[in-house]
Amino acid sequence: MIGQLRLLSRRIKGVVQCTRKFSEFLQLSPETSDALQHNRPLVALESTIITHGMPYPENIRTAVEVEGIIRKNGATPATVAILKGKVHIGLTSEQLEELACDENTIKTSRRDFPVVLGKKLSGGTTVSGTMIAAHKVGIPVFVTGGIGGVHRGAEKSMDISTDLTELGRTPVAVVCAGVKSILDIGRTLEYLETQGVCVASYGNSFDFPAFFTPKSGFTAPYNVLDPTEAAKLIDSSLSFGVGSGMLIAVPIPEEHAAAGEVIEQAIQQAVMEAQARSVTSKDVTPFILQRVNELTEGQSLQANIALIKNNADIGSKIAIELSALRKQKIDRNIKQDLGSNSQSSNCKIQVSSSNQIVNGKKTNLKRLHPQTMFDSDKDVKMSGSISTHRSYGTECSANLPEMSNGGSSFSGRPVVVGGSNVDFVTTIPRSVIPNGGRSNVEIANTMLAQLLRPDGGTYSGEVRQSYGGVGRNIADGLARLGCNPFFISAVGRDINGDALLNSCRHMDIQGVARPDGHSTATYNATLWPTGELMLGSGYMYIHGWITPDYISTFEETISQAPIVCIDGNISAKAIEHTCDLCSKYRIPVWFEPTEMHHARKPFQTRAFEYITFTSPNRDELRAMARATGIGDAVSTSDQRQLSEQDILDECISLCQHLVEYIPNIIVTLGKYGVLVFRDKQGPFMCERGNTTKMETALSAYHYPVCFDDSPVDIVSVSGAGDSLVAAMVYGIIQGYDPHMCVKAGLLAARQSLQFHQAIPPSLSPNLMKVQDIEKLMSWKPTRLL
C-alpha cells in the first residue's frame, strides 16, 4: 500500500529540462538577495538615469544619494543594470561608478534584451527593462523620475513608449512624477486606460503631474493620500492577480515647482530644435533633457534631481507599508489555517541562543546529527509511559539529537526543494469488471487489460483533480505537523498555478517562483481500480526553472535548517548544488527519488556524497543500484511472483551495495511495509574528494504494515509515500526514537489512504504522540541484519 501506491508522485521518463532560463543572465547583489530571502522591503531603480539621463558626475552622485534615502527609510535599493551580458539587480559602489563613466552603454528596453544579453554588452535599463527584471525576482515597487508616453503626432508616427505597454503586462507599481510635458499627456492617460493600468495621483489632489510641474491640466482617475493607501492598492492588485502594473504619480516638491514655467519654455524650444535636427525614437528624450538643462543653466537638472529624490522617499515608504501589509496577511492566513490546532503552534521551533521555547518552557536545543539517527538497537518498552534511549514527554518535544558543529546554534526550519504540480487522476471503476470487481486483484487487472484497449474508444472512469508534486506534498505534510517548512519550487502564472498556491495557504510559499512564460506542471494518471498505475503523462518543464542560481538566493535559510529535503523532479545540477550548500553548513539531506528515472540523478554528479537519507521504492532502489554499477539482485521479468521474503532479500542485497554511497536507506515496500537499512558508522558528510571508507556496522529492520485496531477504508493511495516521508522527517526533528520515526511515518501513510488529497487534512501533531503511536503499533520491528 505504501510504496506501491505512490503513483501520483511518479513522473514519465525523459522530462525535458529548460536550458535557457532568465536566471542564467541574472546576478543578485548580496544585499538584494538577503532582502528577498528575508522578505524585507525592496525598491527597484532604473539605470538609464545614470547612463543617459544626467551628465557625470551628477549621475553617480544622484544615484548614491537616492539609494541612501531608500536605506535611511528602512528599505533596500536595487538598482538594475546590465553589465557584460548579465542583468544585475543591486549594484556595488564600484559598479555604479563603472556604469556612470561608461559612454558605450545601450539604452535597454524589452526589445533590446536579446541583443545586449546575447552579445554580452552593458546597458542602462529603461522603465520597461527595469520592470521586467524587478518582476522576475519579485520586487513589486519601482521608483523612477518619469515614464515615457504617447508622443505628439503619434497618430501619424505611432511613436508610443514601450513603458506604457509594459505597465499593461507586468505587475509592478511604478512611482514617478508623471510624464514629461513634451508628450501628449491626454493620449498617454487614454492609452494607459486601454492597457488596463491603474493610475493614481499621490497627495491631496487628483491633478496628474507633468514631471517638472505638479499640474499638467489633466486629472488622474484615482488618488491615494499616503503610503498606506498606495500599499493597499498595490496589494489588492497583486493578490487578485490583475496582471498589469500600477502608476503612482507624485508631484514635484513645491519648492522646486516655481522654476516650472522657465523650464516649460525651454522644453518647447528644445522640442522644436529636436524636430529641426530630425532627432527621433529613443534619442529624443536624452536630447531634450540635455538641451533644457543648457537653456535653463542647470535649473532643470536640479529640479530633476529633486523630484527623483522625492519619489525615492515616497516610493520606499510605500514599499515598507506594502511589505508590512503582506506579512500581516501571511501571518493571518497561517493562524487561520493552523490556529484551530493548538499543537501546531507548540511544535514551531523558536530559538534564543542555545535554548528553545517549547510550550512556554526553555529546553536545550541540540543539533541534528544523522549518525545518531537509526543508531539505537534498543527496543521501545511500555511501562505506563514510553521509555527509550531518549526521554519524551506526552506532547511534541523539539529536542534534537546532538551534533558536533563547532558550538553553533541553529534557529531554522526544515527546507523542501522540489516539484509542484496539478494532478488529474482517472480511476477505472470496478463496475467494468464482471461480478462487481470481487475477483482476485491479479485476475481483475488481467480482465481489465482485455476490456480496455487502445482502440480510440471512450471508457467509463472517475476523474479527480488534486494538487501534488513530491516536494509540495512533503512540505504540505510538514506544515500540517507544525514544522513551518520553507518550500522552494516553481509554478506558472496561470489558472493552475493560482489554484495550486491557493491550496497551499497554510504553507510558507515565498520560495515558490512564478516565472513568466511557463505553465504550471501537470500530471495525468490513469489508475486501475486496485490503485495501480495503468499509464501516466506529465508536463514538467517548469521544474527546470529551479536552478542553482535560484536556490542560492535562499542560502541563509538553508544554512539554518535542521534538515533539507530534495525531490528528484529538479535537475541533477540543482540537486548537486543544494547538496553542496548543505555540506557547507553540515545540514543533513533527505533525497526522495520520485520515480525510477529521477532516482539516478544524484549519481550523475557527486551529490550522493552529501545525501544522508533516501526513501526509494523497489523500482527506484533498483535504478539507484544500477546507477552505481550493479544490476538487479532478482530478475524483473515477473516481480509479482516474488514472495515477501524474496523481496526483502533482494532489497537487502541492493542496500548492502548502495549504503556505501548513502548511509540511511528507507525502502518503501507497498503492502509489505518499510525496510530501513543503514551504515551506523558511516561518515556524516564527506568532503568533496574524500574517498576514505570506514568500517561499517550495518543494520536492517523490517517494519510491517500492521495496526492494532480495525482496518480503514481506502479512498486514495496517491500520497501515502509522501505522507510517510513528512512524518518521518517530523519525527527526526522532534528527536523521536528511530523506530518511532518509522512508525509515525506508517501512521501518516495510513491516514492518507482515507482521503483523496495526497496529504491528509487530518494530519497534525496530535496524531504523532508517542503513546498513541505505540498503542496502534505495539509490535517490534524485525531485525534482519
Side-chain angles (χ1 to χ4, degrees), residues 16-23 136 490-498 513-521 539-547:
V16 179
Q17 300 293 331
C18 298
T19 57
R20 295 290 290 178
K21 298 298 179 186
F22 184 84
S23 56
K136 289 287 185 186
V491 301
R493 292 186 176 276
D494 50 23
I495 295 175
N496 283 336
D498 293 340
R514 301 199 72 180
D516 289 326
H518 296 275
S519 299
T520 299
Y539 185 88
M540 305 288 173
Y541 297 99
I542 196 170
H543 293 153
W545 206 90
I546 310 171
T547 62

Side-chain angles (χ1 to χ4, degrees), residues 86 291 314 445:
K86 198 148 194 172
R291 187 67 184 121
I314 292 172
N445 285 342

Side-chain angles (χ1 to χ4, degrees), residues 166-178:
E166 202 64 55
L167 277 161
R169 66 168 60 162
T170 304
V172 171
V174 178
V175 180
C176 69

Side-chain angles (χ1 to χ4, degrees), residues 698-715:
L698 303 180
S699 68
Y701 281 91
H702 178 224
Y703 296 79
V705 180
C706 183
F707 295 87
D708 296 341
D709 63 351
S710 58
V712 299
D713 293 329
I714 297 178
V715 174

Side-chain angles (χ1 to χ4, degrees), residues 67-237:
E67 288 197 348
I69 291 169
I70 293 171
R71 288 192 181 95
K72 184 178 179 180
N73 284 343
T76 300
T79 301
V80 178
I82 304 174
L83 301 176
K84 298 177 181 178
K86 198 148 194 172
V87 179
H88 287 253
I89 301 182
L91 301 179
T92 64
S93 56
E94 292 80 9
Q95 289 170 330
L96 283 171
E97 183 73 29
E98 175 186 345
L99 201 65
C101 297
D102 190 348
E103 296 181 355
N104 298 314
T105 54
I106 296 176
K107 189 176 182 181
T108 307
S109 188
R110 174 178 281 270
R111 73 166 188 179
D112 308 296
F113 272 115
V115 173
V116 180
L117 297 180
K119 293 188 175 182
K120 298 188 182 305
L121 305 175
S122 295
T125 54
T126 65
V127 170
S128 169
T130 306
M131 288 181 71
I132 293 170
H135 178 53
K136 289 287 185 186
V137 298
I139 302 176
V141 178
F142 162 37
V143 165
T144 186
I147 64 167
V150 178
H151 284 254
R152 297 177 183 182
E155 65 275 13
K156 296 181 180 178
S157 67
M158 294 300 293
D159 193 352
I160 299 172
S161 171
T162 188
D163 294 351
L164 305 187
T165 53
E166 202 64 55
L167 277 161
R169 66 168 60 162
T170 304
V172 171
V174 178
V175 180
C176 69
V179 298
K180 301 174 184 68
S181 60
I182 60 174
L183 302 171
D184 190 326
I185 297 177
R187 284 190 169 91
T188 297
L189 289 171
E190 288 289 343
Y191 196 85
L192 286 170
E193 180 183 354
T194 301
Q195 292 293 313
V197 179
C198 179
V199 178
S201 62
Y202 182 90
N204 296 318
S205 171
F206 276 78
D207 287 315
F208 187 79
F211 203 69
F212 291 118
T213 59
K215 297 181 180 181
S216 65
F218 296 88
T219 58
Y222 301 103
N223 170 260
V224 290
L225 294 173
D226 52 36
T228 301
E229 282 195 6
K232 289 180 179 178
L233 257 66
I234 298 169
D235 177 66
S236 63
S237 179

